[in-house]
Amino acid sequence: MNAEDAMLADGLAKKSFCTTNSEIFETLRSNKFQAAVNEIYDVIEKNYRETGQNIDIVKLLAAKPLLLDQFKTIFRAGLDVRLLRIIENYLRFPVGYGGVDIFFTVADGLERGARTWHKDSEDNPMVKVAVYLNDVGDDDGPLEILHLEHISPGSEKVRHFRQQKLVDLQDEGKIKFTITSFTGPSGNVILCDTFKYFHRGKPALGRNRRALFFNYYAHKPLTPYFCPNPPFSSDKMKELVADLSTVQQNAALWRENLAGIDKFVTKRRPYLNL
Protein backbone atom coordinates (compact mmCIF):
# COMPACT_ATOMS: atom_id res chain seq x y z
CA MET A 1 0.00 0.00 0.00
CA ASN A 2 1.08 3.58 -0.56
CA ALA A 3 1.35 5.99 2.39
CA GLU A 4 -2.21 7.31 2.01
CA ASP A 5 -3.72 3.82 1.95
CA ALA A 6 -1.53 2.69 4.85
CA MET A 7 -2.78 5.61 6.95
CA LEU A 8 -6.40 4.64 6.23
CA ALA A 9 -5.67 0.99 6.97
CA ASP A 10 -4.03 1.95 10.26
CA GLY A 11 -7.02 4.11 11.24
CA LEU A 12 -9.44 1.32 10.39
CA ALA A 13 -7.38 -1.21 12.34
CA LYS A 14 -7.25 0.99 15.47
CA LYS A 15 -10.83 2.28 15.60
CA SER A 16 -12.74 -0.09 13.27
CA PHE A 17 -13.83 2.93 11.21
CA CYS A 18 -12.21 5.63 9.11
CA THR A 19 -13.22 8.18 6.49
CA THR A 20 -11.79 9.33 3.19
CA ASN A 21 -12.94 10.64 -0.20
CA SER A 22 -13.95 8.76 -3.33
CA GLU A 23 -11.35 10.67 -5.36
CA ILE A 24 -8.59 8.35 -4.11
CA PHE A 25 -10.27 5.28 -5.66
CA GLU A 26 -10.02 4.99 -9.43
CA THR A 27 -13.31 3.18 -9.93
CA LEU A 28 -15.31 5.58 -7.73
CA ARG A 29 -14.03 8.74 -9.38
CA SER A 30 -14.41 7.47 -12.96
CA ASN A 31 -16.84 9.20 -15.31
CA LYS A 32 -18.45 5.84 -16.07
CA PHE A 33 -19.25 5.24 -12.40
CA GLN A 34 -20.54 8.77 -11.87
CA ALA A 35 -22.81 8.51 -14.91
CA ALA A 36 -24.13 5.12 -13.75
CA VAL A 37 -25.05 6.25 -10.24
CA ASN A 38 -26.62 9.48 -11.48
CA GLU A 39 -28.78 7.67 -14.02
CA ILE A 40 -30.04 5.06 -11.55
CA TYR A 41 -30.71 7.55 -8.76
CA ASP A 42 -32.42 10.01 -11.10
CA VAL A 43 -34.84 7.26 -12.12
CA ILE A 44 -35.40 6.24 -8.47
CA GLU A 45 -36.09 9.83 -7.44
CA LYS A 46 -38.36 10.47 -10.42
CA ASN A 47 -40.34 7.33 -9.53
CA TYR A 48 -40.66 8.55 -5.93
CA ARG A 49 -41.93 11.98 -6.99
CA GLU A 50 -44.50 10.42 -9.32
CA THR A 51 -45.73 7.54 -7.13
CA GLY A 52 -44.74 8.36 -3.56
CA GLN A 53 -43.07 4.91 -3.43
CA ASN A 54 -39.38 4.20 -2.85
CA ILE A 55 -38.58 1.45 -5.36
CA ASP A 56 -35.80 -1.06 -4.59
CA ILE A 57 -33.17 -2.09 -7.11
CA VAL A 58 -34.72 -5.49 -7.88
CA LYS A 59 -38.08 -3.96 -8.86
CA LEU A 60 -36.36 -1.10 -10.65
CA LEU A 61 -34.28 -3.39 -12.86
CA ALA A 62 -37.29 -5.61 -13.54
CA ALA A 63 -39.20 -2.55 -14.74
CA LYS A 64 -36.24 -0.94 -16.55
CA PRO A 65 -33.79 -3.68 -17.59
CA LEU A 66 -31.82 -1.16 -19.68
CA LEU A 67 -30.39 0.07 -16.37
CA LEU A 68 -28.67 -3.28 -15.79
CA ASP A 69 -25.39 -2.08 -17.31
CA GLN A 70 -25.37 0.86 -14.89
CA PHE A 71 -25.94 -1.50 -11.96
CA LYS A 72 -23.06 -3.71 -13.15
CA THR A 73 -20.77 -0.66 -13.27
CA ILE A 74 -21.69 0.21 -9.68
CA PHE A 75 -21.24 -3.40 -8.56
CA ARG A 76 -17.78 -3.63 -10.14
CA ALA A 77 -16.72 -0.36 -8.49
CA GLY A 78 -16.76 -2.15 -5.15
CA LEU A 79 -13.87 -4.30 -6.38
CA ASP A 80 -11.44 -1.37 -6.48
CA VAL A 81 -8.02 -2.87 -5.74
CA ARG A 82 -6.94 -0.13 -3.32
CA LEU A 83 -10.16 -0.56 -1.39
CA LEU A 84 -9.71 -4.33 -1.21
CA ARG A 85 -6.15 -3.94 0.12
CA ILE A 86 -7.24 -1.60 2.91
CA ILE A 87 -10.06 -3.93 3.93
CA GLU A 88 -7.86 -7.04 3.71
CA ASN A 89 -5.46 -5.40 6.15
CA TYR A 90 -8.33 -5.06 8.63
CA LEU A 91 -9.88 -8.51 8.14
CA ARG A 92 -6.47 -10.26 8.09
CA PHE A 93 -7.82 -12.50 5.33
CA PRO A 94 -8.36 -12.16 1.60
CA VAL A 95 -11.61 -10.32 0.99
CA GLY A 96 -14.99 -11.73 0.02
CA TYR A 97 -17.10 -9.07 -1.72
CA GLY A 98 -20.74 -9.08 -0.67
CA GLY A 99 -22.01 -6.68 -3.33
CA VAL A 100 -23.66 -3.28 -3.10
CA ASP A 101 -26.83 -1.86 -1.57
CA ILE A 102 -28.33 1.14 -3.35
CA PHE A 103 -30.11 3.29 -0.76
CA PHE A 104 -32.35 6.24 -1.53
CA THR A 105 -33.29 7.61 1.90
CA VAL A 106 -36.44 9.71 1.83
CA ALA A 107 -36.44 12.75 4.10
CA ASP A 108 -39.62 11.78 5.96
CA GLY A 109 -38.14 11.61 9.48
CA LEU A 110 -39.37 8.05 10.06
CA GLU A 111 -37.41 5.55 12.18
CA ARG A 112 -37.65 2.15 10.54
CA GLY A 113 -35.46 -0.57 9.07
CA ALA A 114 -31.86 0.57 8.66
CA ARG A 115 -32.81 3.89 10.29
CA THR A 116 -33.00 2.21 13.70
CA TRP A 117 -29.99 1.15 15.77
CA HIS A 118 -28.78 -2.34 14.86
CA LYS A 119 -25.69 -4.45 14.26
CA ASP A 120 -25.02 -6.45 11.12
CA SER A 121 -24.56 -10.19 11.46
CA GLU A 122 -23.18 -11.43 8.15
CA ASP A 123 -19.73 -12.09 9.59
CA ASN A 124 -17.30 -11.07 12.34
CA PRO A 125 -15.40 -8.97 11.51
CA MET A 126 -16.86 -7.36 8.41
CA VAL A 127 -16.63 -3.98 6.72
CA LYS A 128 -19.23 -1.83 5.03
CA VAL A 129 -18.14 1.07 2.86
CA ALA A 130 -20.62 3.93 2.56
CA VAL A 131 -20.26 6.35 -0.36
CA TYR A 132 -22.30 9.56 -0.25
CA LEU A 133 -23.57 10.71 -3.63
CA ASN A 134 -24.92 14.04 -2.41
CA ASP A 135 -23.97 16.36 0.43
CA VAL A 136 -25.13 14.92 3.77
CA GLY A 137 -25.64 17.26 6.70
CA ASP A 138 -26.94 16.43 10.15
CA ASP A 139 -30.57 16.51 8.94
CA ASP A 140 -29.93 14.52 5.75
CA GLY A 141 -29.64 10.97 7.07
CA PRO A 142 -25.93 10.59 7.93
CA LEU A 143 -24.54 7.21 8.94
CA GLU A 144 -24.16 7.11 12.73
CA ILE A 145 -22.41 4.70 15.09
CA LEU A 146 -22.78 4.21 18.86
CA HIS A 147 -19.91 4.11 21.34
CA LEU A 148 -21.28 2.14 24.29
CA GLU A 149 -20.24 2.38 27.93
CA HIS A 150 -21.58 -0.47 30.04
CA ILE A 151 -22.55 0.69 33.54
CA SER A 152 -23.99 -2.49 35.07
CA PRO A 153 -22.93 -6.17 34.85
CA GLY A 154 -24.67 -8.13 32.11
CA SER A 155 -25.35 -5.18 29.84
CA GLU A 156 -22.58 -6.41 27.51
CA LYS A 157 -25.10 -8.95 26.19
CA VAL A 158 -26.84 -6.09 24.42
CA ARG A 159 -25.31 -7.16 21.09
CA HIS A 160 -28.33 -9.28 20.29
CA PHE A 161 -30.82 -6.46 20.77
CA ARG A 162 -31.99 -3.64 18.57
CA GLN A 163 -33.08 -0.10 19.18
CA GLN A 164 -35.83 -0.48 21.79
CA LYS A 165 -33.60 -2.59 24.06
CA LEU A 166 -30.86 0.03 23.83
CA VAL A 167 -33.32 2.75 24.79
CA ASP A 168 -34.63 0.67 27.70
CA LEU A 169 -31.12 -0.01 29.04
CA GLN A 170 -30.24 3.66 28.76
CA ASP A 171 -33.41 4.65 30.62
CA GLU A 172 -32.55 2.11 33.32
CA GLY A 173 -29.09 3.61 33.73
CA LYS A 174 -27.36 0.40 32.65
CA ILE A 175 -25.58 1.88 29.63
CA LYS A 176 -24.37 5.22 28.36
CA PHE A 177 -23.45 6.00 24.80
CA THR A 178 -22.08 8.72 22.58
CA ILE A 179 -22.68 9.01 18.85
CA THR A 180 -20.33 9.60 15.94
CA SER A 181 -22.29 11.09 13.03
CA PHE A 182 -20.63 10.95 9.62
CA THR A 183 -21.74 14.11 7.86
CA GLY A 184 -19.88 15.18 4.75
CA PRO A 185 -19.93 16.29 1.13
CA SER A 186 -20.77 14.25 -1.92
CA GLY A 187 -17.96 11.73 -2.40
CA ASN A 188 -17.44 11.16 1.32
CA VAL A 189 -16.45 7.54 2.01
CA ILE A 190 -16.85 5.79 5.38
CA LEU A 191 -15.33 2.38 6.15
CA CYS A 192 -16.79 0.76 9.25
CA ASP A 193 -17.04 -2.63 10.95
CA THR A 194 -20.83 -2.80 11.25
CA PHE A 195 -20.69 -6.05 13.24
CA LYS A 196 -18.75 -4.28 15.99
CA TYR A 197 -20.80 -1.06 16.15
CA PHE A 198 -24.47 -0.40 16.58
CA HIS A 199 -25.25 1.89 13.66
CA ARG A 200 -28.07 3.44 11.68
CA GLY A 201 -28.88 5.94 9.00
CA LYS A 202 -30.18 8.87 11.04
CA PRO A 203 -33.81 9.56 10.05
CA ALA A 204 -33.60 12.31 7.44
CA LEU A 205 -35.57 15.56 7.70
CA GLY A 206 -33.73 17.83 5.28
CA ARG A 207 -33.01 16.41 1.85
CA ASN A 208 -33.28 12.92 0.37
CA ARG A 209 -30.01 11.02 0.69
CA ARG A 210 -28.28 9.05 -2.04
CA ALA A 211 -25.73 6.58 -0.66
CA LEU A 212 -24.17 3.30 -1.71
CA PHE A 213 -23.13 0.66 0.80
CA PHE A 214 -20.55 -1.91 -0.34
CA ASN A 215 -20.23 -5.09 1.77
CA TYR A 216 -17.10 -7.11 2.59
CA TYR A 217 -16.25 -10.22 4.63
CA ALA A 218 -13.37 -12.65 4.84
CA HIS A 219 -13.18 -14.88 1.74
CA LYS A 220 -14.26 -17.78 3.96
CA PRO A 221 -16.76 -16.19 6.37
CA LEU A 222 -17.37 -17.71 9.79
CA THR A 223 -21.11 -17.58 9.08
CA PRO A 224 -21.51 -17.76 5.29
CA TYR A 225 -25.18 -18.71 5.68
CA PHE A 226 -25.84 -15.19 7.00
CA CYS A 227 -24.38 -13.58 3.89
CA PRO A 228 -27.07 -12.43 1.42
CA ASN A 229 -27.72 -13.92 -1.97
CA PRO A 230 -25.51 -12.76 -4.85
CA PRO A 231 -27.04 -10.51 -7.52
CA PHE A 232 -26.08 -12.81 -10.39
CA SER A 233 -25.72 -16.51 -11.08
CA SER A 234 -22.26 -18.04 -10.85
CA ASP A 235 -21.76 -18.07 -14.62
CA LYS A 236 -22.88 -14.46 -15.05
CA MET A 237 -20.71 -13.36 -12.13
CA LYS A 238 -17.66 -15.00 -13.68
CA GLU A 239 -18.41 -13.28 -16.98
CA LEU A 240 -18.86 -9.92 -15.24
CA VAL A 241 -15.39 -9.98 -13.61
CA ALA A 242 -13.48 -11.94 -16.27
CA ASP A 243 -11.39 -8.91 -17.28
CA LEU A 244 -10.37 -8.03 -13.70
CA SER A 245 -7.31 -9.11 -11.73
CA THR A 246 -7.11 -12.43 -9.90
CA VAL A 247 -7.48 -10.65 -6.54
CA GLN A 248 -10.66 -8.95 -7.73
CA GLN A 249 -12.07 -12.12 -9.24
CA ASN A 250 -11.42 -14.09 -6.05
CA ALA A 251 -13.17 -11.42 -4.01
CA ALA A 252 -16.24 -11.47 -6.25
CA LEU A 253 -16.33 -15.27 -6.59
CA TRP A 254 -15.64 -16.22 -2.96
CA ARG A 255 -18.62 -18.58 -2.88
CA GLU A 256 -16.91 -20.74 -5.50
CA ASN A 257 -14.00 -21.44 -3.14
CA LEU A 258 -16.07 -22.69 -0.21
CA ALA A 259 -16.02 -26.39 0.62
CA GLY A 260 -18.05 -28.91 2.57
CA ILE A 261 -20.96 -27.71 4.66
CA ASP A 262 -20.08 -24.05 4.05
CA LYS A 263 -20.69 -24.42 0.33
CA PHE A 264 -23.90 -26.31 0.96
CA VAL A 265 -25.50 -23.79 3.33
CA THR A 266 -24.34 -20.54 1.67
CA LYS A 267 -27.02 -18.61 -0.20
CA ARG A 268 -26.37 -18.95 -3.91
CA ARG A 269 -29.67 -18.14 -5.64
CA PRO A 270 -29.23 -14.79 -7.43
CA TYR A 271 -31.67 -12.00 -6.66
CA LEU A 272 -31.39 -10.73 -10.23
CA ASN A 273 -32.31 -13.01 -13.11
CA LEU A 274 -31.90 -10.52 -15.93
Side-chain angles (χ1 to χ4, degrees):
M1 289 186 289
N2 62 28
E4 188 174 25
D5 293 353
M7 183 172 64
L8 286 171
D10 184 60
L12 183 60
K14 288 179 178 177
K15 299 189 296 184
S16 297
F17 69 89
C18 65
T19 62
T20 183
N21 188 278
S22 60
E23 285 298 311
I24 77 166
F25 302 111
E26 182 179 358
T27 57
L28 298 181
R29 70 171 182 264
S30 71
N31 292 334
K32 185 176 182 180
F33 172 79
Q34 295 296 327
V37 295
N38 287 336
E39 186 167 354
I40 281 187
Y41 274 105
D42 286 349
V43 173
I44 291 174
E45 190 149 18
K46 181 174 183 290
N47 177 81
Y48 177 73
R49 290 197 305 267
E50 293 175 350
T51 68
Q53 300 296 316
N54 193 352
I55 190 170
D56 66 35
I57 193 63
V58 177
K59 292 180 180 178
L60 177 67
L61 293 179
K64 298 183 179 294
L66 291 179
L67 291 174
L68 184 60
D69 284 344
Q70 285 81 348
F71 176 79
K72 289 179 178 179
T73 296
I74 296 170
F75 178 88
R76 280 168 52 103
L79 291 166
D80 187 280
V81 172
R82 290 180 69 178
L83 194 56
L84 293 179
R85 286 177 182 152
I86 294 167
I87 295 169
E88 180 176 332
N89 182 80
Y90 178 74
L91 298 176
R92 302 297 179 184
F93 286 100
V95 178
Y97 176 44
V100 61
D101 297 309
I102 296 178
F103 284 121
F104 176 69
T105 302
V106 176
D108 55 13
L110 296 179
E111 287 188 342
R112 60 187 178 194
R115 287 181 280 183
T116 60
W117 295 110
H118 64 284
K119 285 187 176 183
D120 294 334
S121 59
E122 290 98 309
D123 198 30
N124 177 25
M126 61 177 290
V127 174
K128 283 196 175 180
V129 176
V131 181
Y132 291 167
L133 300 170
N134 59 306
D135 296 345
V136 177
D138 190 58
D139 290 331
D140 306 321
L143 173 66
E144 297 185 320
I145 61 174
L146 281 185
H147 306 276
L148 281 179
E149 179 185 352
H150 298 279
I151 307 302
S152 65
S155 63
E156 292 85 352
K157 297 178 182 178
V158 73
R159 186 182 75 80
H160 299 289
F161 301 111
R162 289 180 177 257
Q163 177 157 311
Q164 189 56 53
K165 187 64 175 179
L166 285 169
V167 172
D168 292 344
L169 289 171
Q170 184 188 42
D171 291 343
E172 295 166 9
K174 295 180 178 179
I175 62 170
K176 294 180 181 179
F177 55 75
T178 57
I179 297 173
T180 293
S181 187
F182 297 100
T183 57
S186 178
N188 202 36
V189 177
I190 305 109
L191 294 81
C192 182
D193 185 340
T194 53
F195 179 93
K196 179 174 181 177
Y197 286 106
F198 280 99
H199 62 283
R200 69 172 183 173
K202 184 179 180 182
L205 294 168
R207 76 187 85 185
N208 300 330
R209 186 198 69 177
R210 299 180 175 192
L212 302 174
F213 283 75
F214 297 98
N215 307 285
Y216 305 88
Y217 338 109
H219 71 306
K220 293 183 179 179
L222 291 173
T223 54
Y225 38 84
F226 287 154
C227 299
N229 294 66
F232 305 108
S233 67
S234 176
D235 288 344
K236 288 184 178 180
M237 189 78 82
K238 290 176 182 177
E239 181 180 342
L240 179 61
V241 300
D243 61 325
L244 300 181
S245 70
T246 300
V247 169
Q248 292 167 301
Q249 290 183 36
N250 287 341
L253 304 173
W254 62 271
R255 291 173 178 84
E256 304 302 315
N257 297 318
L258 297 177
I261 190 65
D262 285 345
K263 190 163 189 173
F264 179 75
V265 300
T266 299
K267 298 181 180 74
R268 304 180 70 85
R269 179 178 297 177
Y271 63 78
L272 292 176
N273 288 298
L274 301 172

